[in-house]
Amino acid sequence: MATPPTILKVQTVARSRLFRIESVGLRFSNGVEVEFERLRGSGSISAVIVVPLLDDDTVLLIREYGVGLERYELGLPKGRADPGEALVDAANRELMEEAGYGARSLTVVRNLSLAPAYLGHQTCIVLARDLYPASRPGDEPEPIEVVPWPLADIDRLVLESDELSEGRSIAALFLARTWLARQTPPASEG
């Protein structure tokens, strides 16, 4: 494995309410020095994305407006963890705020990075099961539509529809489906 580069300097070049842009000077083991920019959030793993299962076969998606693409899009409930808030608690809160359900069972599947060359951010995928109706006020500017979708039909949604393009939601759906398949013991032959 290669030796990580030496960080020579880190300087904040811009800041917003949620992020800061840093210039990072690096020296690699071969002596080459470069300067990269990265987008930093509030911490290492400070966001969650929730895969809510209404039952063993149905995932709940949400349709909300994404200003980056200037359109409504299907995805999964997601959001930032509050300072000091456990990730599973943040997942349950976001689920209540965005989908109108709470979960009695919350399981961390794994953490994802999106663009590690530029973003110092990870998102925790949480599988939510044993759902019950529960809502909390959130920061959404309008009511969010909840769309039940067959888990077995995620391939069609991702490959044949333009309603879902957000990479974290796609990855979380496939990873959760794979994780669930590994938890189910194979049927015995008889």
Side-chain angles (χ1 to χ4, degrees):
M1 181 174 231
T3 304
T6 302
I7 296 175
L8 304 173
K9 70 173 183 161
V10 177
Q11 178 181 356
T12 299
V13 295
R15 182 181 300 271
S16 77
R17 180 175 56 89
L18 298 176
F19 302 104
R20 68 181 184 274
I21 299 174
E22 295 177 338
S23 173
V24 182
L26 301 171
R27 180 182 302 121
F28 285 82
S29 59
N30 63 0
V32 174
E33 292 186 13
V34 295
E35 195 163 307
F36 286 102
E37 287 185 349
R38 69 181 176 197
L39 187 61
R40 295 292 272 191
S42 59
S44 56
I45 304 170
S46 59
V48 295
I49 188 162
V50 186
V51 182
L53 294 181
L54 187 60
D55 55 45
D56 290 343
D57 304 315
T58 309
V59 64
L60 295 180
L61 301 172
I62 59 171
R63 181 175 284 120
E64 64 182 331
Y65 187 73
V67 70
L69 296 178
E70 298 181 5
R71 68 179 191 200
Y72 284 90
E73 177 144 335
L74 288 175
L76 293 168
K78 61 192 149 303
R80 294 170 43 107
D82 292 334
E85 184 179 32
L87 293 172
V88 292
D89 293 337
N92 210 26
R93 176 181 48 75
E94 289 293 339
L95 181 59
M96 289 180 201
E97 290 174 2
E98 296 184 4
Y101 285 90
R104 291 182 187 92
S105 173
L106 295 152
T107 306
V108 172
V109 174
R110 69 162 293 151
N111 299 322
L112 287 180
S113 62
L114 188 57
Y118 300 101
L119 298 174
H121 172 80
Q122 291 187 63
T123 300
C124 180
I125 301 171
V126 178
L127 183 64
R129 293 183 284 184
D130 196 8
L131 303 184
Y132 59 90
S135 62
R136 290 181 57 171
D139 57 2
E140 291 72 24
E142 65 182 355
I144 295 176
E145 180 184 358
V146 178
V147 179
W149 195 272
L151 190 59
D153 205 20
I154 292 300
D155 296 4
R156 186 176 63 80
L157 174 64
V158 171
L159 296 173
E160 299 174 18
S161 165
D162 63 355
E163 286 193 275
L164 172 60
S165 70
E166 198 250 335
R168 291 177 304 169
S169 290
I170 293 169
L173 285 165
F174 282 107
L175 287 167
R177 191 173 72 178
T178 301
W179 187 91
L180 285 164
R182 289 182 175 183
Q183 305 308 306
T184 305
S188 62
E189 295 182 24

